[in-house]
Amino acid sequence: MQKYSFDFSDIDVLRSYFRSQLDPDGTTDRIYFPSEIGEGYLSYYKISPEVFLFINNYKAHVDIEYVREPIGEKDIILHFRKYSLDHQIEQNEIISSYSDGYTPGNMRCMDAQQGERVYITKGAEVKSIMIVLKSKYTKPYFLKNSNMADKVDQYIRYSHQHINKFYLSYKQSLLFDQIVSPDIKKVENYLFFIARGIRLLETFWKDVLMWETESNPFNINSAQVGNIYKVSNYLEHSLHEPFVGVDYLASMAHMSRTNFFNMFKEIHDQTPLEFFNNKKLESSYNMIFTEGLSIKEVMDNLNYSNSSKFKKAFFNKFDVYPDIQIR
């Protein structure tokens, strides 16, 4: 068991601690795990003196225990992740254990005054973003809105009991992937991560402000949310086949047609057919401009039958025709 003990009071101290433990000779923003402990990295960014951004993207090669010590300040920790943890609440500590359960991505909200002990098992894949909001940062929000503190306290109190129901929205999931698994060829510097971290933080405040009893996130059926993501994953891997229809997809999700259609649109911000067609166009763009395939090859691979309709749809989405000559 590899053990690390730390707190979230100072990002510079935290960064130096993990640098010394994992990658003392490293010179980049990323702190890479030594091969005997894991494969992947940690990254730490200071969005402002009061807001910290932590990125985790690694596979554990040994059992790991993280002990996050409580601190005196009433800081808030937002934990966005696409892996599963099982939680138990003890006297002044959260006991969290890695789980192989399916999750499409969720968020929990924690009070930094409460400590946590996290057990990551060998072979576990961890992809997460943590945003720490210092009490000096959150104070103005509470002063502007007398209900804000109560709402955030509810997020903190219930997010461990109902963790799967704080699922990531389509926008949050997209920002999450851009931060945790960026296209290195397109990322120039740390400002890329800070900008997207700010946008992810904005989605949290909007969710809190919009949260009313009738739209309580704890009323969401988490099993159905997971099924929606399984269906969208199926569509992404079936781009070479014709669209199977909403009825078939609803049966895959074990939901009524209307409930499936409405929940799919809520999560992905588009209908199942729009999602499928957009994924096909995105794939065709990569095939043409990255892999160098011809239009005919792309149409054959992705089951397009009408070249004029394909070119028109391509232009409407990317503002460029697929047969333009790139020099």
Side-chain angles (χ1 to χ4, degrees):
M1 175 78 72
Q2 193 73 28
K3 183 175 180 179
Y4 304 102
S5 182
F6 57 93
D7 63 50
F8 281 161
S9 58
D10 189 317
I11 186 174
D12 295 319
V13 172
L14 182 61
R15 185 193 294 113
S16 297
Y17 170 73
F18 275 107
R19 174 74 73 186
S20 67
Q21 294 291 311
L22 301 175
D23 192 14
D25 297 324
T27 57
T28 67
D29 288 338
R30 296 184 173 191
I31 300 173
Y32 288 93
F33 282 83
S35 58
E36 64 272 17
I37 297 176
E39 176 185 353
Y41 61 86
L42 310 175
S43 296
Y44 302 105
Y45 299 101
K46 185 180 290 186
I47 293 178
S48 76
E50 293 84 27
V51 182
F52 308 155
L53 171 66
F54 307 146
I55 304 169
N56 302 278
N57 187 353
Y58 65 90
K59 181 176 181 179
H61 289 171
V62 296
D63 292 339
I64 300 174
E65 177 185 1
Y66 295 106
V67 180
R68 178 177 58 77
E69 302 288 354
I71 61 176
E73 296 293 325
K74 192 171 177 58
D75 298 345
I76 295 173
I77 304 167
L78 308 179
H79 188 191
F80 301 86
R81 69 192 189 206
K82 288 191 175 179
Y83 71 99
S84 296
L85 284 178
D86 293 326
H87 303 292
Q88 293 182 342
I89 310 298
E90 299 199 351
Q91 190 170 13
N92 192 36
E93 189 176 48
I94 307 165
I95 307 298
S96 303
S97 303
Y98 182 88
S99 168
D100 58 3
Y102 173 80
T103 174
N106 50 46
M107 186 277 287
R108 59 179 178 150
C109 185
M110 296 174 284
D111 183 347
Q113 291 179 311
Q114 184 176 43
E116 182 175 22
R117 193 175 298 268
V118 183
Y119 296 97
I120 302 296
T121 55
K122 180 180 178 180
E125 295 188 17
V126 176
K127 295 181 183 293
S128 73
I129 296 168
M130 303 187 83
I131 299 178
V132 176
L133 310 177
K134 304 298 290 181
S135 56
K136 290 181 180 179
Y137 170 84
T138 58
K139 189 175 181 180
Y141 283 91
F142 297 150
L143 292 176
K144 291 178 184 177
N145 188 329
S146 59
N147 295 325
M148 180 68 81
D150 289 339
K151 289 184 177 182
V152 172
D153 283 342
Q154 285 182 309
Y155 264 73
I156 291 171
R157 189 163 59 251
Y158 291 114
S159 65
H160 302 292
Q161 299 175 27
H162 305 275
I163 183 64
N164 291 329
K165 298 186 179 182
F166 277 90
Y167 70 92
L168 302 187
S169 67
Y170 177 74
K171 183 176 182 180
Q172 288 172 333
S173 184
L174 190 63
L175 289 168
F176 181 97
D177 291 339
Q178 290 174 346
I179 294 171
V180 175
S181 303
D183 184 344
I184 300 301
K185 296 178 182 178
K186 297 180 181 178
V187 177
E188 296 181 0
N189 55 43
Y190 71 98
L191 292 176
F192 172 93
F193 299 99
I194 290 178
R196 280 154 182 78
I198 292 172
R199 290 172 63 189
L200 189 58
L201 177 58
E202 288 174 346
T203 67
F204 164 73
W205 286 121
K206 288 179 180 178
D207 284 347
V208 173
L209 288 170
M210 293 172 60
W211 185 22
E212 299 175 355
T213 303
E214 57 268 25
S215 58
N216 187 330
F218 306 124
N219 291 331
I220 297 168
N221 186 319
S222 58
Q224 290 184 342
V225 172
N227 288 340
I228 293 290
Y229 276 92
K230 289 179 181 178
V231 168
S232 55
N233 184 63
Y234 163 79
L235 289 174
E236 287 192 63
H237 288 85
S238 305
L239 301 179
H240 58 289
E241 300 289 345
F243 181 68
V244 294
V246 174
D247 289 335
Y248 181 84
L249 297 175
S251 66
M252 284 181 60
H254 306 290
M255 298 166 65
S256 71
R257 188 184 196 281
T258 300
N259 192 22
F260 167 78
F261 187 88
N262 291 338
M263 185 172 284
F264 190 102
K265 190 169 183 180
E266 178 188 349
I267 291 174
H268 290 294
D269 199 31
Q270 51 193 325
T271 68
L273 181 58
E274 289 170 341
F275 178 90
F276 182 73
N277 287 336
N278 280 324
K279 290 298 180 183
K280 284 184 69 169
L281 289 170
E282 290 167 7
S283 182
S284 68
Y285 185 98
N286 290 330
M287 288 181 180
I288 291 171
F289 294 129
T290 301
E291 300 175 25
L293 272 63
S294 68
I295 292 178
K296 184 179 185 308
E297 289 173 318
V298 170
M299 291 182 63
D300 289 341
N301 285 336
L302 296 177
N303 199 39
Y304 284 109
S305 59
N306 188 307
S307 62
S308 60
K309 287 184 178 179
F310 166 65
K311 291 178 183 180
K312 182 178 180 180
F314 194 99
F315 180 82
N316 288 339
K317 182 170 180 62
F318 302 112
D319 200 28
V320 65
Y321 285 106
D323 50 1
I324 188 173
Q325 295 296 317
I326 302 295
R327 296 184 183 276

